[in-house]
Amino acid sequence: MRGLGLGLIVVATLVAACACKQKSPGTGGTGPGGDGGGTGSGSGFGSGTGDPAACDGAAGRIEGLYQAAAGVERAEPTTEVKDNVAMVLAECRTAPDRVLACLAKVNSVLQLETLCLAPLDDEGSEGLTFQGK
């Protein structure tokens, strides 16, 4: 009996989903049934505008995030922290507006690396961005 109830719920959900897809096309506008004729302007990771020198002003914040993640409370950051800060600053200089806006919203290294920076891959292709390739 319990299986029948679950089956009816699944069928009702599928019917409702199909009904939503069957709506007649609209004539444009911003509401449901629009024509999908938007024009995007996103350019992905590695491109952007702004002053690359502005990234240098964020070095202290970036360093603080990495020191907190490493549990380091020294006046002088470790080599690993310095390397990570250099990596973020290098990417920031390629798209200052995007990275700096994102940096202002994050509170951890995990957020910084997943939300603000280009994803890393096994081939290391993200490094090609910094080599101009």
Side-chain angles (χ1 to χ4, degrees):
M1 196 60 141
R2 191 176 261 168
L4 179 63
L6 181 59
L8 289 175
I9 291 173
V10 170
V11 169
T13 303
L14 291 173
V15 169
C18 289
C20 289
K21 287 186 178 183
Q22 304 253 338
K23 285 186 178 180
S24 62
T27 58
T30 58
D35 64 3
T39 58
S41 63
S43 54
F45 287 102
S47 64
T49 59
D51 179 16
C55 296
D56 295 334
R61 170 136 164 76
I62 297 165
E63 183 178 299
L65 290 173
Y66 278 102
Q67 282 187 312
V72 177
E73 293 185 23
R74 303 182 202 165
E76 184 64 29
T78 65
T79 302
E80 181 180 359
V81 169
K82 287 180 184 179
D83 289 345
N84 287 329
V85 170
M87 172 198 65
V88 174
L89 289 176
E91 183 159 344
C92 181
R93 289 182 186 111
T94 65
D97 287 350
R98 178 184 54 81
V99 175
L100 291 172
C102 185
L103 178 63
K105 299 175 187 175
V106 300
N107 296 315
S108 70
V109 167
L110 178 63
Q111 290 176 333
L112 171 66
E113 291 180 350
T114 57
L115 301 175
C116 303
L117 306 178
L120 303 177
D121 60 29
D122 292 338
E123 290 80 34
S125 65
E126 68 281 347
L128 298 174
T129 300
F130 304 118
Q131 296 175 356
K133 297 181 183 177

